[in-house]
Amino acid sequence: MMVDMNNRRALKDAPIIDAAYGRSPSRRPVWFMRQAGRSLPEYRQVRKDIAMLDSCFRPDLLAEITMQPVRRHDVDAAILFSDIVVPLKAAGVDLDIVPGRGPVVENPLRCSNDIEALPDVAEEQLAPIAEGIGLILGELNESQALIGFAGAPFTLASYLVEGGPSRNHEQTKALMHSNPELWHKLMQKITPMVITFLKAQISAGVDAVQLFDSWAGFLTQRDYRRFVLPYSTEIFAAVADAGIPRIHFGVGTGELLGAMAEAGPEVMGVDWRVPLDAAASRIRASLAEATPGADPESTALALQGNLDPAILFSGEKALEAEIKRVCSEADRAIARGNARGHIFNLGHGVLPQTDPGMITRAVEIIHSN
Ligand code: CP3
């Protein structure tokens, strides 16, 4: 499948894109994971009579919900309203998103036959998403980027194998370790679906993409490298020629930042546990070791993160202090040459009970730092 570059609009001075490529942004860019969602009354209103996964296949709703936080908070990017399980749903996997719980899969994958029977997704099955992207691009201005995304194979596999959200991911790890060959077969089934999902969004015109490996932090680095990294690397390579920033994110990945950076993104997302300057040193050391003789500049990536979402409940004084700390840690990493830029974000998603007024205030503070 060729990525159609003709649909891509020309952004002008988009701070997120400039930061991702190590140019000087006109202001410090910010967006928030889960900026669209239950923290917003206008979201709860439009979603009140429609199920989460149904809304993801309605281009009008998808565009409206994606735009809500952009209108309200003046963030520098919209993130496509969708979910990591959308390509699975589009392919016909029997699953639902249960409110307050997350994705639940009717028939968890346990044996070779189950994995064999996992369907592939065709780009046509994602047509409503592409249509929604077209509507969103018509509403954004030329400095606001639209970020597309997909779940990484490990995180998707965890839902498929466990059958739902998991505290310990024990069935997923059991599959890896008891039957590595079958694990790799599962990864080889999921990886093309992720690539199709991302390429459908890229063809429709998104300006950047993020790969969410939310639960990768449950793995040892050794297992991550052996069972996961090859597939995430394949995904980043498959979308490299789109020429748009690629972001890689997971939670609790302090010990994996270097390995995740080796998958090939321009930007590494960092959760709140590791200061951004420490994260940048880890990333750079890993990339330098993995690519001996590489241009030292190429081993410095852009950073995305990493305010603790709970700080949005801590009052304006604490909010300002923590934002300043995050910004100065990012700036230190850039000054030392260990990072090329900074995109402000939370260390994970906006919590549903967050006061949206505090999110708007956070954006103002970030833009003035
Ligand atoms: O604003 C945005 O960030 C864009 C939308 C977005 C959603 N899901 C919407 C959503 C994104 C980027 C995702 C990705 C996603 N989905 C991830 C990776 C990001 C992360 O949080 O680590 C994961 C692990 C999922 C799986 C998933 N879907 C979970 C854990 C949940 C939450 C369950 C709950 O109710 O708390 C969902 C449902 C979901 N996806 C909601 C939203 C807004 C809540 C649905 C609702 O409003 O009822």
Side-chain angles (χ1 to χ4, degrees):
M1 190 189 352
M2 286 292 294
V3 172
D4 177 7
M5 304 290 287
N6 298 333
N7 271 341
R8 177 141 303 101
R9 68 199 174 121
L11 283 168
K12 206 163 149 273
D13 304 325
I16 291 227
I17 308 297
D18 287 342
Y21 286 129
R23 303 188 291 255
S24 300
S26 58
R27 64 185 187 184
R28 192 182 302 261
V30 54
W31 68 280
F32 298 113
M33 292 181 276
R34 293 275 164 94
Q35 63 190 15
R38 281 170 293 180
S39 66
L40 301 183
E42 58 272 34
Y43 169 80
R44 298 194 295 268
Q45 175 63 31
V46 288
R47 274 283 328 282
K48 87 180 147 33
D49 298 317
I50 180 156
M52 170 68 195
L53 273 175
D54 292 337
S55 67
C56 292
F57 288 89
R58 285 253 319 257
D60 57 334
L61 281 182
L62 188 161
E64 166 58 23
I65 297 172
T66 299
M67 287 305 297
Q68 285 176 348
V70 180
R71 293 186 201 118
R72 190 191 256 266
H73 303 307
D74 188 29
V75 282
D76 298 286
I79 171 128
L80 178 67
F81 181 75
S82 189
D83 197 84
I84 59 170
V85 297
V86 160
L88 302 174
K89 181 78 182 175
V93 177
D94 190 354
L95 59 83
D96 202 4
I97 293 181
V98 178
R101 196 151 170 243
V104 174
V105 178
E106 185 60 31
N107 304 303
L109 309 182
R110 289 294 150 80
C111 62
S112 176
N113 287 344
D114 297 344
I115 289 170
E116 237 11 289
L118 191 66
D120 196 1
V121 71
E123 193 160 340
E124 304 78 67
Q125 293 171 307
L126 299 165
I129 289 95
E131 192 184 333
I133 289 170
L135 298 174
I136 298 162
L137 293 173
E139 290 194 45
L140 292 169
N141 72 34
E142 60 185 8
S143 64
Q144 293 167 330
L146 175 59
I147 301 171
F149 72 92
F154 171 73
T155 292
L156 287 172
S158 168
Y159 286 106
L160 288 169
V161 173
E162 306 285 342
S166 171
R167 192 180 290 260
N168 300 306
H169 305 267
E170 60 269 42
Q171 302 290 344
T172 315
K173 292 180 180 182
L175 177 59
M176 274 177 186
H177 285 276
S178 67
N179 195 342
E181 210 176 301
L182 192 53
W183 170 262
H184 286 293
K185 199 192 253 180
L186 174 59
M187 291 289 96
Q188 285 156 13
K189 293 281 271 186
I190 298 175
T191 299
M193 299 179 85
V194 173
I195 293 172
T196 301
F197 189 38
L198 288 175
K199 284 196 172 177
Q201 296 173 57
I202 291 169
S203 304
V206 298
D207 306 300
V209 286
Q210 176 156 322
L211 190 67
F212 281 95
D213 211 349
S214 300
W215 313 138
F218 281 88
L219 296 172
T220 62
Q221 187 184 146
R222 184 185 153 77
D223 286 352
Y224 179 82
R225 286 185 177 277
R226 183 167 156 217
F227 294 117
V228 178
L229 179 58
Y231 305 101
S232 295
T233 303
E234 187 181 334
I235 291 164
F236 280 112
V239 298
D241 65 358
I244 59 176
R246 297 164 297 165
I247 310 167
H248 200 182
F249 170 78
V251 183
T253 55
E255 300 300 326
L256 302 181
L257 288 168
M260 289 178 72
E262 287 172 38
E266 280 73 33
V267 183
M268 272 303 300
V270 183
D271 85 358
W272 66 89
R273 292 170 180 85
V274 183
L276 289 178
D277 51 345
S281 309
R282 291 180 193 186
I283 291 165
R284 194 149 189 227
S286 277
L287 290 179
E289 200 182 304
T291 47
D295 168 8
E297 287 224 336
S298 72
T299 60
L301 303 186
L303 299 168
Q304 178 173 278
N306 71 344
L307 184 73
D308 184 340
I311 300 298
L312 292 165
F313 294 76
S314 310
E316 204 172 313
K317 213 168 136 219
L319 178 65
E320 183 157 11
E322 284 294 288
I323 288 173
K324 283 191 189 307
R325 176 183 62 77
V326 168
C327 292
S328 66
E329 286 163 356
D331 292 346
R332 194 175 313 139
I334 295 169
R336 289 180 179 159
N338 290 335
R340 318 173 60 183
H342 179 215
I343 298 169
F344 202 103
N345 204 314
L346 300 178
H348 199 187
V350 172
L351 298 165
Q353 310 299 327
T354 306
D355 168 6
M358 288 303 278
I359 302 176
T360 308
R361 184 67 194 120
V363 172
E364 288 167 4
I365 298 169
I366 293 156
H367 281 157
S368 66
N369 269 272

